[in-house]
Amino acid sequence: MAEVKLHGFWSSPFSCRVIWALKLKGVEYEYIEEDLHNKSELLLKYNPIYKKIPVLVHDGKPIAESLVILEYIEETWPENPLLPRDPYDRAMARFWIQYGAIKCAEAIGALYVASEEEKEKAAKEIVEVLKILEDQALGDKKFFGGDNINLVDISYGPCAYWLPAMEEAAGVKVLEPSSLPKLHAWAKNFIEVPVINENIPDHDKMLAYMRVAREKLGKN
């Protein structure tokens, strides 16, 4: 069996995405924790363009960028499929994954770096972006994949654990049952999936890390 290794960082939502997919596929792998302030020679060798985690190394060949890695995992280990079989449904799943990569990432990134004066506006913009996702992609389904999680759920998974920590660190509310009831329920259901629950960072540790990060940015 070809060797699988994952270079990641404990708090990275992008690393978690890859871990969840590997676990759901039943793929055995070696996890290598990186020091982002002192990146390993291997990481720089495997991802010389962006020099970032996560990097999946399969049989000595590196793949970078979490969404690219998720597609690679799906194609390499087709058992327990994480994308719909119907071509149209598969295309729609990829559309919403890209929506998150562009629209949601921009909005959440703005909150991460927002000052005290900017944070309420940033939180409101996240709600607006997520409301479109809730209405047009999730609807009344338990998961984006229906009864089971798929790559869309995995791509938005950080919203279920990382975003709440970010909200607390910034002192704002975003994923609330009053404003986003269906996404709020989805987040609760997602976290309760055993494979997910067993592979997310400790909330208090994550919160402390985010508070320190925001202090370094001078946002608190």
Side-chain angles (χ1 to χ4, degrees), residues 9-151:
F9 183 66
W10 71 270
S11 73
S12 167
F14 309 110
S15 294
C16 282
R17 284 173 171 170
V18 178
I19 290 170
W20 298 333
L22 290 170
K23 293 283 187 180
L24 287 165
K25 292 283 189 178
V27 178
E28 294 185 5
Y29 66 97
E30 176 186 351
Y31 177 76
I32 300 165
E33 177 75 2
E34 288 284 346
D35 179 352
L36 300 188
H37 298 292
N38 184 26
K39 298 173 183 177
S40 71
E41 291 184 8
L42 275 179
L43 176 62
L44 299 178
K45 171 188 172 183
Y46 288 142
N47 191 4
I49 306 299
Y50 294 116
K51 301 178 175 62
K52 294 179 179 180
I53 52 90
V55 174
L56 185 75
V57 184
H58 183 209
D59 200 17
K61 295 178 289 188
I63 306 98
E65 295 295 295
S66 65
L67 297 182
V68 176
I69 295 171
L70 293 183
E71 290 273 3
Y72 180 84
I73 291 171
E74 176 69 0
E75 293 178 6
T76 304
W77 295 280
E79 302 83 5
N80 304 321
L82 295 173
L83 279 175
R85 296 196 180 278
D86 179 78
Y88 178 80
D89 292 340
R90 194 159 58 244
M92 289 299 97
R94 288 177 171 134
F95 173 88
W96 288 111
I97 289 171
Q98 285 302 308
Y99 178 82
I102 299 171
K103 290 290 189 179
C104 293
E106 288 177 355
I108 293 173
L111 175 60
Y112 190 76
V113 300
S115 66
E116 284 296 307
E117 296 75 22
E118 299 166 337
K119 67 182 186 180
E120 290 298 336
K121 179 183 176 183
K124 182 180 178 181
E125 289 175 354
I126 295 176
V127 172
E128 291 172 355
V129 169
L130 291 179
K131 188 62 179 174
I132 293 173
L133 178 73
E134 178 180 80
D135 291 342
Q136 299 191 34
L138 180 61
D140 294 323
K141 300 190 294 293
K142 181 178 182 180
F143 298 112
F144 291 98
D147 293 331
N148 299 295
I149 62 176
N150 67 4
L151 284 192

